[in-house]
Amino acid sequence: MRCIQIGSGHLYYSKHAGGNKILLAFHGFGQDNEIFSDWIEVLDKEYTVYAFDLFHHGKSIRDNKKLTKNEWTHYIQTFITQENIQEFSLVGFSLGGRFAISTALAYPKHTKELILIAPDGIFLSLWFRLATNPVFKWVFRYFMFHPNRLDRLVTFNDKYGLVSPYLGDFVRKEMNTIESRKRVYLSWNHFKSLGYSKKQLSMLFNRHAFGRRIILGSKDHIIHPTQILPLIEKMGDFSVDILPMKHHQLIKTEVAKLIANK
């Protein structure tokens, strides 16, 4: 693992030497850089892959405050200088899509292609909007740090089906410890500032010439194609692939093969 240190922040990443093209890879929530390990054999003839640990994931750490676009740009500029990189492609899965988009728009002349996989940063789920809303985020925080109340809320939802039943699955899988609940709260609130409005994305994507591709799952109940396709239609020329997969399956090697065989 390699590290970029800026102040008290440490951004860790791994380098997998391979082909002449450079690919920067950003994982999803609750994962780390190792989620891309199975991709390396598929991509190494064409790409050298740099896979990052997002903050609050893996080894990467920083102060508990919002991550601004300027701060993130500082990390990426340090990385580019440190690794002597002139041009790169980007892939972002789920939460990592927010980082991939921010990097591409900060460095459009360096970016050859932006590949988004069921990305956060374009379509914002109801739960993300509630968790980061100035009014409701304190309610969200209360449930994060009172697990008994959270369990009751999930059980109530299971019984009456007020919102998606997949909420319960997410809570039980990703929020079963105090560390994981804290990671949800910090990630959603601290990374919100990396985002752009739909109007801004449309204007900036249409302004820049780098390639754009989006890969979605027809069985994805978190970011379904019907939710995001109408949005990207207004954001310039995206190549679209829809696979018969659920959200968590979109990080499988079949997706890496799709990228390698474009």
Side-chain angles (χ1 to χ4, degrees), residues 55-171:
F55 293 114
H56 311 306
H57 294 73
K59 292 186 176 181
S60 293
I61 58 172
R62 63 184 295 276
D63 292 337
N64 291 339
K65 61 181 181 179
K66 289 184 178 179
L67 177 65
T68 67
K69 292 184 179 73
N70 286 340
E71 182 184 351
W72 178 245
T73 299
H74 191 184
Y75 277 99
I76 294 300
Q77 182 58 60
T78 304
F79 163 77
I80 290 172
T81 302
Q82 183 169 293
E83 297 293 342
N84 192 26
I85 293 172
Q86 303 301 320
E87 185 180 67
F88 49 75
S89 293
L90 299 153
V91 61
F93 168 64
S94 195
L95 179 62
R98 182 171 292 261
F99 287 81
I101 291 170
S102 185
T103 303
L105 294 181
Y107 291 93
K109 294 182 179 180
H110 291 72
T111 301
K112 184 174 181 181
E113 184 177 25
L114 173 64
I115 305 166
L116 301 174
I117 305 172
D120 176 38
I122 295 179
F123 170 77
L124 304 180
S125 71
L126 170 63
W127 294 105
F128 180 91
R129 294 197 300 270
L130 288 176
T132 58
N133 181 280
V135 175
F136 290 101
K137 74 175 183 179
W138 302 112
V139 177
F140 180 80
R141 188 178 190 279
Y142 173 82
F143 281 109
M144 292 302 95
F145 295 98
H146 293 81
N148 291 335
R149 301 286 198 281
L150 180 63
D151 290 341
R152 291 176 189 174
L153 178 63
V154 172
T155 301
F156 185 82
N157 182 70
D158 288 343
K159 183 176 181 180
Y160 294 102
L162 300 180
V163 295
S164 169
Y166 298 97
L167 167 65
D169 294 338
F170 176 81
V171 170

Side-chain angles (χ1 to χ4, degrees), residues 205-217:
F205 279 148
N206 281 288
R207 177 185 299 172
H208 300 307
F210 55 76
R212 293 182 292 276
R213 184 174 190 177
I214 191 164
I215 301 172
L216 304 169

Side-chain angles (χ1 to χ4, degrees), residues 6 68 81 172 189 235 238 249:
I6 297 178
T68 67
T81 302
R172 294 183 183 98
N189 281 282
M235 297 180 182
F238 268 86
Q249 296 173 322

